[in-house]
Amino acid sequence: MSTILNILLFLLILGILVFVHEFGHFITAKKNGVFIHEFSIGMGPAIKTWKGKDGIDYSLRALPIGGYVQMAGEIYEDDDTNTVPKDKFMCNKKWWQRLIILCAGVFNNFLLALIFLFVIALIWGAPSLAPKIYRVIPNSSVAATQTIETDEDGNTKVVSGIMDGDVITSINGKKVTTWDKAQLLLLFKDKDGKYDITVKHENGKSESFQIERTEFEDSDGEKMKGFGFEMKSEVKKGFTAAVKYAFQKFAAISEQMWMTLGGLFTGKISLNSLSGPVGIYTVVGETIKTGIANVIFLTAYLSINLGIMNILPIPALDGGHVLFLLIEIITKKKVNQKVEAWITNIFFALLILLMIYISIHDVFTYIIK
């Protein structure tokens, strides 16, 4: 029964993300007078197609891995010139109209994420994003930085080193303002396995330490490998706090994702860290056990992820189409149709191969677990 619920929730989340994204393209194209053949949720064979009063086909397709809005003349005039007026071709619209249509899907994904983050904070409270250390775990590498003094009564006190209440301000020379960024920087591969961490004590003094991952026991007595500190956020209530949290968390997640992409290119993050549909399904299954708030947060997180991935200047994605449009604006002429089609097809094939590789890795990881 739980498997069925996980699958249904997984499909629901993907469906929401795809619908919101494609609806952005759809509504802006329609408002700007572009002729639309079909609005589809899903890819592959059609399960059901409805003909709307506006003459548009609305389809639900078998593979829940995407969707599309089929517009007349998306890039160049096509065979529809006999049935569709030329002024309704997307390619014949003004450049700013085309730019709005191309970016509307990403905008919708970002807007959805902001709304969901706001709802979470409004209902359950807005957690602080500050990278503040709540507790240093004994016998860990972080605890090893401490100097402890004992008074005449036998009471111990930490007088130096990384302490409870310290705020992390930089890791390996990179400024840190949120726990999201701190987490990611601590996941990045380091040449010698050591990390330079600067903290600000409660008295305002800053100190830097070099630490590395070691094995220690957590508060439950279980052995684990890490640095040895726990984080705990203060939670604030109220409308203003919720709005502030939504934008700050959105910015923190976005920065985290851009850093992840950079880490993939520099080798600091393995390609195996990426997840496809199978990996997302696994995460959904784990998240549903922790409550509705985390499910909403996961949806917001994935929505930002989808938006950022789509805006990358890669042919076959929205960002790739924007790139070709910018080239057209700068050069005052369209990119050669055959060249654009050739480049787009190559990158589309590469994206499919990447998705296959990630999915196979996800399957093996799921089986091993």
Side-chain angles (χ1 to χ4, degrees):
M1 189 67 178
S2 61
T3 301
I4 295 174
L5 287 174
N6 289 347
I7 292 173
L8 290 175
L9 182 60
F10 169 70
L11 293 176
L12 177 63
I13 290 174
L14 281 187
I16 290 172
L17 298 181
V18 171
F19 174 79
V20 166
H21 181 91
E22 296 303 333
F23 184 76
H25 295 309
F26 172 80
I27 195 65
T28 51
K30 199 171 183 181
K31 291 293 183 182
N32 283 283
V34 175
F35 186 90
I36 300 171
H37 295 285
E38 182 182 358
F39 176 85
S40 175
I41 299 299
M43 307 290 282
I47 297 174
K48 180 71 176 177
T49 299
W50 301 266
K51 176 72 75 172
K53 293 181 180 179
D54 50 10
I56 299 171
D57 288 333
Y58 295 89
S59 301
L60 181 64
R61 296 182 177 271
L63 303 177
I65 56 173
Y68 60 85
V69 178
Q70 185 183 357
M71 295 172 273
E74 290 188 35
I75 303 175
Y76 293 90
E77 290 186 1
D78 47 38
D79 295 335
D80 296 319
T81 50
N82 295 326
T83 56
V84 179
K86 286 195 173 186
D87 63 340
K88 288 189 174 293
F89 279 66
M90 180 176 169
C91 61
N92 293 332
K93 295 296 179 180
K94 294 177 181 179
W95 70 265
W96 57 267
Q97 292 176 301
R98 290 151 64 195
L99 185 62
I100 288 172
I101 295 168
L102 289 172
C103 294
V106 171
F107 174 82
N108 270 17
N109 281 130
F110 289 165
L111 180 61
L112 176 70
L114 281 168
I115 292 171
F116 277 6
L117 291 172
F118 169 75
V119 169
I120 291 169
L122 191 64
I123 297 174
W124 290 279
S128 168
L129 302 182
K132 187 176 182 179
I133 296 172
Y134 172 67
R135 187 177 81 93
V136 175
I137 300 174
N139 302 315
S140 64
S141 57
V142 170
T145 67
Q146 297 179 337
T147 300
I148 301 175
E149 291 184 353
T150 305
D151 61 21
E152 296 177 353
D153 299 322
N155 299 315
T156 59
K157 180 182 179 182
V158 179
V159 294
S160 66
I162 300 177
M163 314 176 200
D164 299 351
D166 285 353
V167 175
I168 300 172
T169 56
S170 75
I171 298 174
N172 290 337
K174 296 187 181 297
K175 186 179 179 181
V176 172
T177 55
T178 65
W179 176 227
D180 301 73
K181 187 173 183 178
Q183 281 182 304
L184 188 60
L185 288 172
L186 291 173
L187 285 174
F188 277 1
K189 294 177 183 176
D190 196 72
K191 290 180 181 179
D192 56 4
K194 296 179 180 179
Y195 296 76
D196 293 316
I197 296 181
T198 301
V199 297
K200 187 175 183 179
H201 301 305
E202 291 181 325
N203 62 8
K205 182 183 176 182
S206 293
E207 281 190 278
S208 296
F209 304 90
Q210 192 174 76
I211 63 174
E212 56 187 322
R213 289 187 181 89
T214 55
E215 191 174 86
F216 59 89
E217 290 186 356
D218 62 13
S219 54
D220 296 323
E222 293 186 12
K223 287 187 177 181
M224 61 184 299
K225 193 170 184 178
F227 297 98
F229 57 80
E230 296 176 354
M231 311 297 290
K232 185 178 180 180
S233 298
E234 297 176 3
V235 177
K236 294 182 179 179
K237 296 280 189 176
F239 182 86
T240 303
V243 172
K244 185 177 179 181
Y245 169 81
F247 282 96
Q248 287 183 335
K249 190 64 176 179
F250 176 88
I253 294 173
S254 299
E255 182 183 28
Q256 191 181 48
M257 290 181 181
W258 286 115
M259 287 175 63
T260 300
L261 289 170
L264 289 170
F265 283 104
T266 59
K268 291 184 177 180
I269 293 181
S270 169
L271 188 63
N272 292 336
S273 301
L274 299 179
S275 292
V278 177
I280 295 172
Y281 165 77
T282 305
V283 173
V284 168
E286 293 299 319
T287 305
I288 194 173
K289 299 174 185 176
T290 61
I292 185 65
N294 286 328
V295 172
I296 296 173
F297 178 82
L298 175 63
T299 307
Y301 184 90
L302 292 174
S303 194
I304 297 172
N305 194 319
L306 179 61
I308 288 177
M309 292 306 296
N310 265 281
I311 205 61
L312 293 176
I314 298 174
L317 299 177
D318 292 340
H321 294 308
V322 170
L323 176 63
F324 286 125
L325 176 58
L326 293 177
I327 293 173
E328 177 188 332
I329 294 169
I330 294 169
T331 62
K332 305 297 182 182
K333 61 180 181 180
K334 288 181 178 289
V335 177
N336 182 277
Q337 183 174 359
K338 290 183 179 179
V339 172
E340 184 172 348
W342 183 73
I343 294 174
T344 299
N345 289 336
I346 288 177
F347 274 89
F348 181 75
L350 290 174
L351 288 172
I352 293 297
L353 289 174
L354 177 62
M355 182 61 69
I356 292 172
Y357 171 80
I358 293 171
S359 296
I360 292 173
H361 178 265
D362 284 345
V363 169
F364 277 107
T365 302
Y366 181 74
I367 292 172
I368 291 171
K369 284 184 179 180

